[in-house]
Amino acid sequence: MPIRILSGSVGFALAAMLALPLSAEPVSLPDDPEAKGRAIAEETDRRNKGFGDSRASMHMILENAYGETSTRELRSMTLEKPNPNEGDWTLNVFDKPRDVDGTALLTHARILDPDDQWMYLPAVKRVKRISSVNKSGPFMGSEFAFEDFSSTEIDKYGYKWLRDEACPEPVADRTCHVTERTPLYEHSGYTRQIAWTDTTDYQPRKIEYYDRKDELLKTLSMTDYNLHQGKFWRAHDLYMQNVVTGKSTRLTWESFEFGTGLTQNDFSTNALQRAR
């Protein structure tokens, strides 16, 4: 978020969102479906480049199949890596409730090599390295997997444009590119993902995740987009619904800051332990 797409503060009304300036910059795309799919991903990435580093806070709302909810509060920090051969670095730290206070996840994203991920568990005062074969597992009981909390780097996927159609609600009056992307890295829990990208601002509006049996597992909806510093779009509401279990997780983001002076030292395993 974080998943940069997912990095996307909560509470922005749709009317306010629509009142923001939208980029009408024309985008030239190739005709070949695979080249077109990659070009769409590159355009999304290009519009998110140059933020340097960012901080934000987040509420994570877990809901079970009976409608019972629990809420957690986190801080998220991201360090952009300008080298295209490196992925961005992220640190997510839980502040509430008390039983998870200080739990932290550090991710150094890679391209095709497995991401480096570590988790700090304050109860045992230990940094645990997340095995690359376990990154499809749920993150802290949520419907997001560990791999969903890694940066979405272009070369991690193969692409294929499928079609253009109306975007999902609440922006169904716009047109979206619908693209299939296939993970090229090992040990992903997904065979493929189908993404809806808004042709107005080239930001993702919806992603479907298909499991290793190639059956629909869950759907991510991204809404309440807000434009920061006149150039960086961030979704402030991310809703992941598991279509198999009926469980869901909502992430609501707020208090975005950019260019705060974070350095690599803030994204080390030592920093992980003192992030509380």
Side-chain angles (χ1 to χ4, degrees), residues 217-235:
L217 174 64
K218 56 188 182 182
T219 300
L220 176 65
S221 300
M222 289 156 277
T223 58
D224 284 347
Y225 270 88
N226 193 26
L227 189 63
H228 297 267
Q229 299 189 335
K231 51 187 174 181
F232 303 124
W233 287 104
R234 292 294 184 267

Side-chain angles (χ1 to χ4, degrees), residues 23-273:
S23 171
E25 181 181 349
V27 177
S28 177
L29 298 172
D31 293 328
D32 176 74
E34 294 183 358
K36 187 172 183 178
R38 182 178 173 90
I40 293 166
E42 290 175 337
E43 180 63 20
T44 299
D45 186 67
R46 185 186 70 79
R47 297 186 184 215
N48 280 314
K49 282 187 179 299
F51 67 90
D53 68 84
S54 66
R55 298 173 185 262
S57 57
M58 173 186 16
H59 288 78
M60 174 185 283
I61 304 165
L62 312 178
E63 181 172 353
N64 66 22
Y66 304 101
E68 299 167 329
T69 63
S70 59
T71 301
R72 297 166 174 175
E73 296 181 13
L74 300 81
R75 288 171 281 135
S76 182
M77 291 156 275
T78 302
L79 182 67
E80 184 180 30
K81 303 290 285 187
N83 186 334
N85 296 317
E86 298 181 52
D88 295 346
W89 293 3
T90 59
L91 177 59
N92 294 287
V93 183
F94 286 83
D95 292 322
K96 294 180 180 178
R98 179 176 296 180
D99 62 339
V100 296
D101 180 18
T103 301
L105 174 68
L106 173 65
T107 301
H108 291 179
R110 307 278 183 195
I111 306 302
L112 294 182
D113 291 331
D115 296 342
D116 292 320
Q117 285 188 306
W118 301 266
M119 199 160 185
Y120 178 63
L121 304 170
V124 294
K125 298 181 180 178
R126 187 166 72 90
V127 175
K128 174 184 177 183
R129 189 180 183 93
I130 307 299
S131 168
S132 61
V133 298
N134 292 330
K135 290 173 182 174
S136 60
F139 173 61
M140 294 294 285
S142 75
E143 299 311 307
F144 289 87
F146 281 95
E147 67 179 292
D148 300 336
F149 271 82
S150 180
S151 178
T152 306
E153 304 297 335
I154 291 177
D155 288 336
K156 282 185 165 188
Y157 301 90
Y159 300 89
K160 183 180 181 181
W161 171 84
L162 301 177
R163 60 187 181 273
D164 288 349
E165 65 181 24
C167 292
E169 294 287 353
V171 287
D173 58 331
R174 301 183 189 177
T175 299
C176 273
H177 296 308
V178 184
T179 305
E180 179 181 81
R181 61 189 192 192
T182 306
L184 300 178
Y185 53 95
E186 289 186 316
H187 308 305
S188 174
Y190 312 120
T191 56
R192 61 191 174 107
Q193 302 170 13
I194 307 295
W196 280 254
T197 303
D198 193 328
T199 60
T200 304
D201 52 21
Y202 276 79
Q203 300 304 306
R205 302 293 170 181
K206 174 183 171 184
I207 301 174
E208 292 180 345
Y209 297 84
Y210 290 79
D211 65 16
R212 289 170 177 165
K213 298 179 181 176
D214 201 27
E215 295 177 348
L216 179 60
L217 174 64
K218 56 188 182 182
T219 300
L220 176 65
S221 300
M222 289 156 277
T223 58
D224 284 347
Y225 270 88
N226 193 26
L227 189 63
H228 297 267
Q229 299 189 335
K231 51 187 174 181
F232 303 124
W233 287 104
R234 292 294 184 267
H236 292 199
D237 189 309
L238 285 72
Y239 181 69
M240 183 76 88
Q241 183 169 33
N242 189 313
V243 301
V244 177
T245 67
K247 297 179 179 178
S248 65
T249 300
R250 167 162 271 134
L251 305 180
T252 60
W253 295 80
E254 56 190 2
S255 304
F256 274 100
E257 299 177 86
F258 296 86
T260 66
L262 293 170
T263 69
Q264 291 192 170
N265 291 335
D266 298 302
F267 296 84
S268 67
T269 54
N270 288 333
L272 189 64
Q273 299 179 63

